[in-house]
Amino acid sequence: MEMGVFVSCSAGNAGPDPASLTNVSPWITTVGASTMDRDFPATARLGTGRTLSGVSLYKGRRILSTGKQYPLVYMGGNSSSLDPSSLCLEGTLNPRVVAGKIVICDRGISPRVEKGQVAKQAGAVGMILANTAANGEELVADCHLLPAVAVGEKEGKLIKSYASTSRNATATLAFLGTRLGIRPSPVVAAFSSRGPNLLTLEILKPDIVAPGVNILAAWTGELGPSSLPTDRRRVEFNILSGTSMSCPHVSGIAALLKARHPEWSPAAIKSALMTTAYVHDNTHHPLKDASVVTPSTPFDHGAGHVNPMKALDPGLIYDLEPQDYFDFLCTQKLTPAQLKVFGKFANRSCRHSLANPGDLNYPSMSAVFPEDTSIKVLTLHRTVTNVGPPTSTYHVVISPFKGATVKAEPEVLNFTRKNQKLSYRIIFTTKIRQTMPEFGGLVWKDGARKVRSPIAITWLTPLT
């Protein structure tokens, strides 16, 4: 970053647990994963006549006849706790029980495609891969080694109940190819790692989300698409999921912005990406969280979903120099030896320019009220640089909060030239301390552009 290089990093795939993200340094752009409006549907039709929806990339020669029903078996018990055979772990499936049948396998512990390999080796003709509570309704398509369909937790429970209670349970699987125009999308992936950023609560992370589920990606010729040693198939492209897929999208968009604006710093590029991100899906509702199917928060999606075209012309940017990041580190209770590690490139020292870490000129805002309940007012400071029309006027709009009143001073910014910098402050006044963080946004509008910053307000629990 000190050399002018924009760095984007994956938030991690440890979601939906809170505080599961990594790469939280403010000079890094931390990217979470979202879905796209493309899907690879597949179905499981039960002997009852009921058809349940799932996904699959299976394209093998062995296709189950949709006109025929196959015996269905689930090796798990009725309890909610998983056991090795319900997870289809290596060596747990009895060929005498599963041969010629479709096996239901629970997600967890072993790789998804490996479960299919275990089922295939035991003589199964197909697999239904059932999500558990950890994955909810999020579906990830895989290149299975035998006919297999992945289903959400609700459908999984239905199928398992049917297989466990009906003596002659049957099913068949069908694969429907590629579908576009899926709604709602994007949705924040369940596996995408979440905030808050426990290292520094005042820096809201992740920064942004980008497409990271079922992404078409170049693939090595050394491995089959399932990555399993027994997979003899070879492909030049594969469908992959993970924040390792979403982060390169952001790197590519950053390269486009740098080509259009060579003078922009890494912080300026990050600001443009964040303040132009959108927080509504293609049904015009707030972005959903795949793990709970309720609206996601800035701890899940950061500033929102990246929007490349809007980012080319953000209007205003929150810029930062390397020294600003170093002064942020000076607020972090680091030892002189630790600070020296960060300062060695340019022999930096603390200028003590920030009253608190939340004053770093970051495009998102996180107000953290301390345990001391007598502190009712917090003020954050920000400076914006005009990269839009030389003469422009921006008005502020701030969403309402239950626990605090939030206002910006001044409420109007009048710019008279390009690259002019104007500062403002955001004053948070507690009304009723909330037990959970509260979220909203601050938007500067000039009639053509909207420069949006997510806001998180956290009230730390008083120590008893």
Side-chain angles (χ1 to χ4, degrees), residues 110-180:
S110 63
R112 298 183 299 272
V113 184
E114 191 179 288
K115 295 174 189 295
Q117 178 179 278
V118 171
K120 187 179 180 183
Q121 285 170 343
V125 295
M127 175 180 73
I128 295 173
L129 183 64
N131 278 6
T132 60
N135 316 105
E137 300 311 309
E138 174 170 80
L139 298 176
V140 178
D142 292 302
C143 295
H144 293 285
L145 292 165
L146 82 171
V149 173
V151 297
E153 186 194 9
K154 282 187 209 140
E155 284 85 351
K157 280 182 176 169
L158 279 168
I159 298 168
K160 286 186 280 191
S161 170
Y162 167 60
S164 302
T165 56
S166 173
R167 188 175 293 174
N168 297 312
T170 60
T172 190
L173 310 176
F175 306 94
L176 309 178
T178 304
R179 293 276 164 89
L180 302 175

Side-chain angles (χ1 to χ4, degrees), residues 56-93:
S56 183
L57 291 172
Y58 180 72
K59 194 71 176 147
R61 293 191 187 96
R62 291 172 62 190
I63 295 287
L64 301 184
S65 167
T66 52
K68 182 185 169 188
Q69 288 279 308
Y70 298 83
L72 182 66
V73 62
Y74 177 55
M75 306 299 287
N78 290 328
S79 71
S80 55
S81 59
L82 305 175
D83 61 45
S85 49
S86 82
L87 292 161
C88 301
L89 301 182
E90 188 85 42
T92 62
L93 296 183

Side-chain angles (χ1 to χ4, degrees), residues 270-325:
K270 177 201 268 194
S271 175
L273 293 171
M274 289 174 66
T275 61
T276 58
Y278 56 85
V279 290
H280 290 83
D281 60 30
N282 58 1
T283 67
H284 308 294
H285 290 99
L287 292 179
K288 286 190 173 66
D289 174 352
S291 68
V292 287
V293 202
T294 54
S296 56
T297 75
F299 285 169
D300 310 321
H301 62 233
H305 191 284
V306 69
N307 189 344
M309 293 304 289
K310 283 265 172 74
L312 287 167
D313 179 21
L316 306 175
I317 53 169
Y318 294 84
D319 209 357
L320 285 162
E321 307 268 324
Q323 181 63 38
D324 296 315
Y325 293 113

Side-chain angles (χ1 to χ4, degrees), residues 194-256:
R194 314 302 170 97
N197 164 14
L198 292 187
L199 204 58
T200 312
L201 279 173
E202 293 86 353
I203 301 296
L204 190 56
K205 291 280 183 173
D207 292 311
I208 205 158
V209 291
V213 177
N214 295 339
I215 304 302
L216 185 64
W219 187 249
T220 175
E222 295 298 308
L223 278 175
S226 68
S227 296
L228 296 173
T230 54
D231 191 350
R232 298 276 169 255
R233 299 172 297 180
R234 291 295 179 265
V235 292
E236 291 185 352
F237 286 85
N238 202 353
I239 298 284
L240 302 176
S241 296
T243 50
S244 293
M245 293 290 101
S246 49
C247 151
H249 279 87
V250 169
S251 296
I253 297 162
L256 289 172

